[in-house]
Amino acid sequence: DAKTTQPNSMESNEEEPVHLPCNHSTISGTDYIHWYRQLPSQGPEYVIHGLTSNVNNRMASLAIAEDRKSSTLILHRATLRDAAVYYCILTNNNAGNMLTFGGGTRLMVKP
Amino acid sequence: DGGITQSPKYLFRKEGQNVTLSCEQNLNHDAMYWYRQDPGQGLRLIYYSQIVNDFQKGDIAEGYSVSREKKESFPLTVTSAQKNPTAFYLCASSISTGKLAFFGQGTRLTVV
């Protein structure tokens, strides 16, 4: 299974943009890049996903490198409620493909 | 409201007792999963089911058992054979494996 590498932790100031990086150098052509986040004592929730093109939704933006070996989750204005662990995951449509979670990046937001 | 429900939120058991964690979904999803999370760690896959009456072991299945008799339900039993059962357990479902997953709020199991 393709693996992802993320920094253990990052810090941000409130109302500033946050760029969360993810490396996935062994990504295959059919792998989608998914981002989930987990608030304290809760289950993970879906944030965004993409294949090749950059994606935007109400929560965040996803910037995917041209060679697809890395991606960046962008929170345009961090709030205290964005403090969470962010997981970058690769998945594809093959039967039996699982969501494999690494350690993720713990985002701390300072007021 | 559609969603995935785990119960109870907190569970205490004595060492040596089996305990069953409930997971129900009304999203009409075929795939369901159980993950375990230890403090400060990521999620590890225990078991998954791609369809009713079928399930497969994940990375850390030893000491756990599951059943999938109904599409909506995927209970997890933590047996006395699980050496270190105290953890946060998360259930998830998706239309099929590899697709967008929805998670429950988790059950925090403490074995004393």
Side-chain angles (χ1 to χ4, degrees), chain A residues 26-81:
Chain A
T26 58
I27 191 170
S28 76
T30 55
D31 282 334
Y32 286 81
I33 302 158
H34 284 237
W35 283 82
Y36 286 77
R37 74 177 187 181
Q38 186 177 21
L39 301 171
S41 297
Q42 295 190 27
E45 62 175 347
Y46 166 81
V47 177
I48 201 166
H49 78 283
L51 184 62
T52 57
S53 303
N54 294 345
V55 184
N56 300 298
N57 67 21
R58 64 173 181 82
M59 288 181 74
S61 296
L62 177 60
I64 301 173
E66 202 167 321
D67 63 5
R68 299 210 327 125
K69 295 188 177 193
S70 65
S71 61
T72 302
L73 179 71
I74 302 166
L75 307 179
H76 295 286
R77 285 180 73 231
T79 70
L80 297 178
R81 287 174 296 179

